[in-house]
Amino acid sequence: MHAFDVLGDPVRRRILELLAEGELTSGAICAVVRDEFGISQPAVSQHLKVLRENGFATVRRDGARRLYAVDAGPLRDVDQWLDGFRRFWAPRLAALETELARGKRERRLQQEEDRNRGDS
């Protein structure tokens, strides 16, 4: 399965988002995904299996529990593929950053001006 086929599913993307915060038990993952997507525990297990079999997640046993974690390898491959497209959005993000900084500076100057008027 191609990386984008794996990542194309919103449930699998959500599982990866959860795992990006740290290792989780399958039960914890199931609870969140069941609540958010309304799917059964066996369906969540199938999504975990797809992530595991395609290298996006690892699993280790801790007694009776199974702990899942992100495996960054395939994500690095996706990131590398996206490199060819960053030129389309990087300048816009840089311009947005400039505008946000400008707005922040203007608000700070306005607050200082307001404080100075209040002191007079």
Side-chain angles (χ1 to χ4, degrees), residues 23-28 59-68:
E23 202 173 48
L24 289 172
T25 64
S26 56
V59 64
R60 71 177 179 88
R61 287 195 175 276
D62 181 33
R65 303 180 320 160
R66 288 186 178 177
L67 294 165
Y68 286 83

Side-chain angles (χ1 to χ4, degrees), residues 2-105:
H2 189 275
F4 287 106
D5 293 326
V6 174
L7 297 174
D9 186 278
V11 173
R12 290 193 287 267
R13 285 194 312 271
R14 181 62 177 129
I15 292 170
L16 285 175
E17 289 170 359
L18 293 169
L19 295 176
E21 295 180 20
E23 202 173 48
L24 289 172
T25 64
S26 56
I29 296 166
C30 281
V32 172
V33 172
R34 260 197 329 253
D35 289 348
E36 292 182 7
F37 292 91
I39 62 175
S40 67
Q41 182 275 329
V44 175
S45 293
Q46 280 302 111
H47 285 290
L48 285 167
K49 181 180 177 184
V50 169
L51 290 170
R52 209 175 50 249
E53 288 180 348
N54 288 280
F56 285 87
T58 61
V59 64
R60 71 177 179 88
R61 287 195 175 276
D62 181 33
R65 303 180 320 160
R66 288 186 178 177
L67 294 165
Y68 286 83
V70 169
D71 185 338
L75 294 172
R76 280 191 290 273
D77 294 341
V78 170
D79 185 54
Q80 185 177 10
W81 184 83
L82 286 170
D83 265 346
F85 299 93
R86 283 196 172 81
R87 64 186 166 94
F88 294 111
W89 65 78
R92 289 184 176 154
L93 289 174
L96 176 61
E97 183 179 24
T98 300
E99 288 302 314
L100 291 172
R102 182 176 292 138
K104 193 178 203 179
R105 181 178 180 272

